[in-house]
Amino acid sequence: MKRRWLIFALVFLFASETKAIERTPYTWNLADIYRSEREFTKDYTFVSDMLPTLSSYQGKLKNESTVAKLFSTHEQVARKLEKLSLYAQLQQDLNIEDKKAAHFKAKVETLAANYATTAAFIEPELLSLPKETLEKWKNSKSLKTYARYFSELLERKAHTLSKKEEQLLAKLSPLADEAENIYHYATRGDYTPPVMRIDGKTVSLTGGNFLKALEHPDRTYRKQAFQTFFTSFEQIQHTAAATLYASVKADELYAKARRYDSGLEAALANDDIPKQVFDNLLSTVNERLPSLHRYIDLRKKALQLQAVHSYDLYVPLASKTVTKTFPMEKAEALILEGLKPLGNDYVKQVEYAFHHRWLDVYPRPKKYTGGYNISAYDTHPFILLNYDQSLDEVLTIAHEIGHAMNSVLTNKKQPYHYSGQSIFTAEVASTANEWLMMDYLLKQAKTDEEKLYLLNQQIDQIRGALYTQVMYSEFEQAIHEKVGKGESLTAEELNDMWLRLLKKYYGSAYAVDSEAALGWLRIPHFYDAFYVYKYATSLAASFELTKQIKEDKTGKATERYLQFLSAGTSDDPIPLLQKAGVNIMSPKPLNNLLTYFDSLVTEMEQILHKQGKI
């Protein structure tokens, strides 16, 4: 359960409303949050003034009446603070160099720090109470809306230490993040992006343009880019190995301190996920590795290679002539059509978002790069894009709209303390939209070459979000088990483990390049233990749900799905998915997805054969 009413990440920055913001249909209207600086200041003052009141409850959580009043007070403060945070972040992301923002940043961050310090007593004090008291409050009339929260407290109580021990762990906890900080300094600060000379030109290779280089039709160019890029990481591999070892060691130590058997068990417990889900994911995907091997072999034939190397995995098999551009108006029309299986109300809400400035679409100087969806409980969602009119970006819009609609429906149905979503379920809402969009686009393809292009996109999406993430998860499990046994992690050991996994996952048609051994070094998610597996389970769950939606003519599957989007964190992720119609603890959803993967490869093979390319 995501306890956003107690703990949430705050990014605070405020910019002057006198700054001119381009007024087009495809920019945010931040007046939907605050119409003036005066309104912002009013909420700021409210939060500041309420902190002493919040603090006054410390040491007094002895009866349900007092706890109920505390929860009510805390929610008022947290909701205002969430709005302040959202407004400040969005202003910052529109213009990173706004001078007025710098003035407000220190002020609001101080407020955030004061809030965090003030509210820190709540959960430890509740956890220190007898089990019988928590059970009683869980079933009491005045606290019944928090019943699930108390259930979670009871679950965590078995892993809660004495007050002094908890205080000690809290003081030591910042040290656990230092390994990741050092890693980022090494990979961003000390690391220099490499350059290569080709055709008399100097090309700088960054994380952003490296994948584009791997899509280049000239194999010599791809190979040189790959070798240049990966070789450049040799200079920091020993530092990265040391930081990863330190991070994993901290995970295992904290897990044991809290009476978990392993870091994996602790990470899964934090999300209320049974270990069976993780084990089932790895075993099922391992059984279906021949499907991925078949695709790699098809690439080998289509590209007329003796073996597929790492730098051959991303080059499109379709002609570049079919690559289309999608002006924003066209993208909007496609998305509204593609999402029709989710019902009229869903589509109308999406259309409303397009026409009421929920999206800031185009890149501009000083604007945040990338894309995201974010909202507060008391606002509509805001979607940031840097739209380049590509198919990938159309799918990105659909993806972020899935997150946005998840928030809209949840906030309509759930109280504040059950709003938000766990990562395990949040990606279901976004990838479901991608499945529906690709299904629609594939049906609209007019030529074999168009279909081949889309099949390539869909196959590589599954390869990246399922097979690759499971390979990452298997690597994580191996390094955690190694450290859990008291063994170390050296760069040489990590390189060897990575190469063996690459060979296992990609099969006999794949040639392992020695430079690829450093792939583990490029995955910052390994510093957030057992995070990446959720991408794979979400993809399988959303595929199963959209499959049911398309096949069910009664509309009941769609209704169940919309109820799932409205559920927030009112239950554990597994029961929420089960109510929607998918049992992710079973191999069935994964096998259904991988059977679909097989069908896509078969269809691609047929088109390539028809074209005489194989």
Side-chain angles (χ1 to χ4, degrees):
M1 168 182 165
K2 182 181 177 184
R3 297 175 297 281
R4 65 186 282 181
W5 66 296
L6 287 178
I7 304 171
F8 54 86
L10 299 171
V11 182
F12 292 93
L13 201 58
F14 177 78
S16 169
E17 294 188 27
T18 61
K19 282 279 182 184
I21 297 176
E22 184 183 4
R23 299 293 181 182
T24 75
Y26 294 126
T27 58
W28 288 328
N29 179 19
L30 297 187
D32 288 347
I33 309 175
Y34 291 114
R35 290 172 295 180
S36 67
E37 187 174 324
R38 180 180 297 177
E39 285 188 355
F40 180 93
T41 302
K42 182 179 178 182
D43 276 359
Y44 180 96
T45 302
F46 174 85
V47 172
S48 183
D49 290 347
M50 286 295 289
L51 293 185
T53 303
L54 194 61
S55 182
S56 69
Y57 287 94
Q58 186 166 358
K60 299 176 182 177
L61 304 185
K62 305 298 182 185
N63 60 73
E64 64 184 75
S65 174
T66 301
V67 172
K69 289 176 183 176
L70 165 66
F71 285 178
S72 175
T73 301
H74 190 278
E75 180 176 322
Q76 292 178 58
V77 173
R79 286 171 69 166
K80 297 289 188 187
L81 201 49
E82 191 178 58
K83 273 186 73 177
L84 293 167
S85 170
L86 176 68
Y87 189 66
Q89 178 175 338
L90 298 185
Q91 289 280 18
Q92 178 191 29
D93 288 350
L94 289 177
N95 181 1
I96 193 63
E97 294 183 5
D98 190 300
K99 292 181 180 179
K100 183 79 174 285
H103 168 73
F104 278 90
K105 181 180 180 181
K107 178 181 176 182
V108 181
E109 283 186 340
T110 299
L111 179 67
N114 290 340
Y115 156 78
T117 301
T118 302
F121 75 92
I122 299 175
E123 198 156 295
E125 194 164 321
L126 290 173
L127 282 167
S128 70
L129 295 170
K131 179 180 177 181
E132 295 73 21
T133 301
L134 297 178
E135 287 280 9
K136 179 183 176 183
W137 291 353
K138 173 185 170 183
N139 299 305
S140 69
K141 185 176 180 181
S142 62
L143 293 171
K144 65 180 180 180
T145 186
Y146 301 99
R148 172 163 157 70
Y149 173 67
F150 281 110
S151 293
E152 289 220 323
L153 283 177
L154 287 162
E155 288 175 11
R156 290 205 304 283
K157 193 168 175 60
H159 301 283
T160 301
L161 309 179
S162 69
K163 185 176 181 180
K164 286 185 177 180
E165 288 171 327
E166 287 292 340
Q167 288 174 339
L168 179 60
L169 282 183
K171 289 178 180 178
L172 291 174
S173 62
L175 294 176
D177 297 327
E178 284 307 301
E180 184 176 6
N181 291 337
I182 296 168
Y183 165 79
H184 285 302
Y185 276 116
T187 55
R188 295 179 185 177
D190 296 339
Y191 171 76
T192 302
V195 295
M196 68 178 193
R197 292 282 296 173
I198 191 161
D199 296 333
K201 297 179 181 178
T202 299
V203 179
S204 177
L205 292 172
T206 65
N209 65 16
F210 173 60
L211 283 181
K212 288 292 182 186
L214 295 188
E215 295 173 358
H216 200 283
D218 185 337
R219 194 170 190 237
T220 301
Y221 183 95
R222 297 198 306 271
K223 180 178 180 179
Q224 185 176 342
F226 174 81
Q227 291 178 335
T228 301
F229 188 70
F230 271 88
T231 302
S232 71
F233 288 108
E234 291 177 356
Q235 61 186 300
I236 58 170
Q237 63 175 313
H238 297 293
T239 300
T243 59
L244 185 57
Y245 171 60
S247 178
V248 174
K249 192 173 183 179
D251 289 334
E252 294 300 318
L253 286 171
Y254 273 86
K256 295 289 171 56
R258 293 199 176 279
R259 306 186 192 102
Y260 290 104
D261 290 338
S262 65
L264 173 59
E265 185 187 358
L268 294 171
N270 190 52
D271 288 325
D272 303 302
I273 305 298
K275 188 172 181 292
Q276 180 183 340
V277 172
F278 186 86
D279 293 341
N280 171 59
L281 174 67
L282 267 60
S283 62
T284 304
V285 170
N286 268 268
E287 288 171 6
R288 299 296 294 267
L289 284 178
S291 298
L292 180 57
H293 298 169
R294 180 179 165 227
Y295 171 57
I296 301 304
D297 189 57
L298 181 59
R299 270 194 162 268
K300 172 185 167 182
K301 294 174 184 175
L303 295 170
Q304 299 179 352
L305 303 172
Q306 289 186 338
V308 174
H309 289 253
S310 296
Y311 46 83
D312 300 316
L313 290 172
Y314 298 92
V315 60
L317 298 183
S319 166
K320 271 200 167 185
T321 59
V322 302
T323 305
K324 294 182 177 180
T325 58
F326 301 87
M328 189 59 195
E329 293 75 12
K330 175 66 173 175
E332 178 184 333
L334 284 173
I335 289 168
L336 294 176
E337 283 295 318
L339 298 182
K340 276 187 174 179
L342 297 180
N344 290 335
D345 289 344
Y346 188 103
V347 173
K348 284 180 181 176
Q349 183 67 72
V350 173
E351 187 174 21
Y352 183 91
F354 275 117
H355 293 276
H356 287 78
R357 301 179 61 190
W358 291 18
L359 296 83
D360 196 281
V361 174
Y362 298 111
R364 297 190 296 278
K366 303 177 186 178
K367 179 182 171 182
Y368 183 88
T369 57
Y372 62 68
N373 165 79
I374 191 170
S375 67
Y377 187 72
D378 296 305
T379 73
H380 64 71
F382 291 83
I383 296 172
L384 182 136
L385 303 164
N386 281 274
Y387 189 62
D388 64 5
Q389 302 192 46
S390 67
L391 176 60
D392 280 346
E393 285 292 298
V394 174
L395 295 175
T396 295
I397 297 172
H399 180 104
E400 299 302 343
I401 282 174
H403 285 307
M405 289 298 295
N406 199 180
S407 296
V408 168
L409 294 172
T410 291
N411 292 351
K412 282 182 180 179
K413 184 74 177 288
Q414 300 301 328
Y416 181 67
H417 49 279
Y418 294 143
S419 61
Q421 294 81 30
S422 72
I423 297 296
F424 195 89
T425 59
E427 290 301 317
V428 174
S430 53
T431 53
N433 281 8
E434 291 190 61
W435 288 123
L436 292 172
M437 286 304 304
M438 285 301 294
D439 183 66
Y440 173 74
L441 291 168
L442 281 164
K443 288 176 181 176
Q444 297 298 310
K446 295 181 174 61
T447 66
D448 282 346
E449 200 65 22
E450 280 185 35
K451 179 159 278 192
L452 184 63
Y453 173 73
L454 293 168
L455 288 169
N456 202 153
Q457 290 268 337
Q458 189 77 313
I459 289 169
D460 282 343
Q461 163 69 2
I462 299 170
R463 177 171 69 87
L466 183 69
Y467 281 113
T468 299
Q469 303 307 321
V470 174
M471 190 189 89
Y472 291 173
S473 300
E474 195 167 334
F475 177 79
E476 272 194 286
Q477 186 178 42
I479 61 177
H480 276 261
E481 286 179 352
K482 203 170 187 300
V483 173
K485 294 174 184 176
E487 300 176 25
S488 64
L489 295 176
T490 65
E492 291 77 10
E493 289 169 325
L494 292 168
N495 292 347
D496 182 62
M497 292 165 68
W498 194 260
L499 286 179
R500 282 189 279 112
L501 281 171
L502 284 174
K503 187 62 182 174
K504 172 184 171 181
Y505 272 74
Y506 287 107
S508 60
Y510 173 78
V512 180
D513 299 288
S514 60
E515 297 89 350
L518 291 167
W520 59 270
L521 191 151
R522 300 185 61 232
I523 315 300
H525 279 320
F526 289 153
Y527 292 84
D528 188 352
F530 299 102
Y531 181 95
V532 294
Y533 85 93
K534 301 170 195 175
Y535 290 122
T537 51
S538 295
L539 195 74
S542 62
F543 176 79
E544 188 70 12
L545 292 171
T546 53
K547 180 174 178 286
Q548 293 173 16
I549 288 168
K550 290 182 291 184
E551 292 174 353
D552 178 22
K553 305 303 179 185
T554 68
K556 290 182 180 178
T558 302
E559 185 179 339
R560 288 196 305 269
Y561 177 66
L562 295 177
Q563 288 173 351
F564 163 77
L565 295 183
S566 304
T569 57
S570 60
D571 205 343
D572 288 347
I574 302 302
L576 287 178
L577 286 170
Q578 288 173 334
K579 291 172 190 174
V582 56
N583 180 11
I584 203 63
M585 294 178 69
S586 158
K588 182 182 175 183
L590 288 160
N591 277 319
N592 284 345
L593 173 53
L594 292 171
T595 297
Y596 174 65
F597 180 85
D598 274 329
S599 73
L600 295 173
V601 175
T602 297
E603 194 169 0
M604 173 181 274
E605 188 175 35
Q606 290 170 346
I607 292 174
L608 289 169
H609 188 271
K610 181 179 175 183
Q611 293 177 333
K613 294 180 179 178
I614 58 171

